[in-house]
Amino acid sequence: MTDTPQYVLLDVQNGIAVLTLNRPKAYNALKIDLLKELDALLDRLEADAGVRVLIITGSGEKAFAAGADIKEFSDFSPAEAEQMARFGQSLFSRIETFPKPVIAAVNGFALGGGCELAMACHFRTASENARFGQPEIGLGLIPGYGGTQRLPRLIGRGRAMEMLMTGEPIDAQTALQWGLVNHVFPQEELLPRTRAIAEKLARYSSLPLHKIIRTVADGADDLERGLTAEAARFAECFATEDFREGVSAFLERRKPDFKDR
Ligand code: CAA
């Protein structure tokens, strides 16, 4: 991997980082070097206090990402395949618990690893032409970047089972109806409208945003663990300047000025 990212473009404006998967001729297929670049960019964005919210999207109007790069893994041994899955899973888990909000703006096909990447983000918006699917079954394969786990958690087991077993993609409206995406926008409005959501998040204190991300993750499979974490972090908020500021601003009928303290 080179120091200058080749497969992922980064644009930061007003605290919003837009990461664009950039292999449009290959429908932004997630070759391993692309995922390594994404991981390295996350290091930078995590350390940069000026960056408050991340948006992940794909270049072009066809694809967010059409999956792992089939040409790249076609001759992998089982051991190499397991290493590939473990790396992708750990990267996507990193995104799921990233300390700043991460929104997927799905601008076309989100298939296989592309769907799995979108599902690891904190929430998703989509263009009208977006298509979501786990077509691995057609390759004699199963998902390897978390699809068998995150899809049933997001849309329910029966719908996930059908998608995983048939390999058939769903369109943006179905994804909306099933709760896989929160909003569907015309293609040209996808980034501006997603950016508007990101700008709203960027104005909040990063302290409770980070606590929401961690606490939702802590309770995803264990309600009692989640409730214990919630009570502890709820209490932690009371020791912050931003909580004092938020409550004072409400009582004084003015906009809060959060300082991340
Ligand atoms: N890997 C590598 N290249 C891919 C790719 C992928 N996942 N998806 C698309 N491409 C490439 C095609 O090979 C083609 O390149 P060439 O012009 O050099 O041949 C280019 O992108 C455009 O693709 P098509 O010509 O196929 O475009 P289309 O409009 O006819 O079809 C599509 C689009 C339905 C997305 C089709 O490309 C497709 O089915 N892609 C594969 C989807 C898939 O199976 N994804 C799962 C991958 S496995 C995985 O992700 C495992 C995991 O969980 C980690």
Side-chain angles (χ1 to χ4, degrees):
M1 200 186 87
T2 55
D3 286 331
T4 313
Q6 186 185 353
Y7 301 122
V8 185
L9 307 177
L10 173 64
D11 172 62
V12 182
Q13 284 178 45
N14 303 325
I16 317 289
V18 178
L19 293 147
T20 304
L21 311 171
N22 190 37
R23 297 184 68 212
K25 286 190 183 135
Y27 280 28
N28 304 320
L30 303 173
K31 62 187 291 184
I32 289 163
D33 278 351
L34 182 154
L35 295 180
K36 287 184 178 164
E37 281 189 13
L38 186 56
D39 200 22
L41 286 168
L42 291 178
D43 290 340
R44 264 169 66 183
L45 298 172
E46 185 169 352
D48 185 342
V51 170
R52 307 188 62 78
V53 183
L54 279 56
I55 297 173
I56 301 180
T57 193
S59 70
E61 298 194 348
K62 295 270 191 200
F64 174 75
D69 191 314
I70 299 171
K71 289 167 200 163
E72 184 176 57
F73 70 66
S74 58
D75 60 358
F76 275 8
S77 66
E80 288 170 321
E82 184 166 357
Q83 199 183 9
M84 166 190 164
R86 282 297 187 190
F87 171 63
Q89 287 177 352
S90 70
L91 173 61
F92 290 5
S93 291
R94 178 181 186 190
I95 291 170
E96 192 166 50
T97 54
F98 199 69
K100 310 176 186 198
V102 186
I103 310 170
V106 178
N107 56 308
F109 288 113
L111 301 178
C115 188
E116 292 167 305
L117 171 58
M119 290 192 291
C121 294
H122 298 140
F123 59 90
R124 289 144 291 284
T125 58
S127 57
E128 286 164 343
N129 67 329
R131 297 283 179 278
F132 295 81
Q134 297 289 163
E136 288 87 347
I137 188 76
L139 300 169
L141 193 60
I142 72 167
Y145 290 165
T148 60
Q149 302 307 304
R150 292 198 176 90
L151 193 60
R153 282 169 172 77
L154 278 168
I155 65 171
R157 194 180 288 202
R159 285 166 170 164
M161 281 291 200
E162 185 176 342
M163 286 181 71
L164 291 161
M165 288 177 168
T166 66
E168 285 297 322
I170 56 170
D171 63 17
Q173 283 305 327
T174 306
L176 181 66
Q177 202 188 325
W178 288 4
L180 189 53
V181 303
N182 295 6
H183 306 279
V184 176
F185 301 124
Q187 178 75 252
E188 64 281 7
E189 289 180 26
L190 176 66
L191 259 192
R193 300 283 292 269
T194 307
R195 193 183 281 278
I197 299 170
E199 281 166 1
K200 184 174 175 69
L201 305 189
R203 287 193 287 275
Y204 290 128
S205 169
S206 64
L207 303 178
L209 283 171
H210 187 189
K211 290 184 198 301
I212 288 168
I213 292 163
R214 288 166 65 202
T215 310
V216 169
D218 283 344
D221 295 305
D222 186 340
L223 178 68
E224 275 312 315
R225 179 163 175 248
L227 291 174
T228 302
E230 184 185 85
R233 294 194 185 117
F234 178 77
E236 284 167 18
C237 292
F238 283 68
T240 66
E241 285 178 31
D242 283 341
F243 167 70
R244 298 282 153 223
E245 168 62 10
V247 171
S248 304
F250 175 79
L251 296 174
E252 293 160 18
R253 297 179 179 275
R254 61 175 172 80
K255 281 200 183 338
D257 180 16
F258 294 121
K259 300 271 193 264
D260 293 341
R261 291 196 294 256

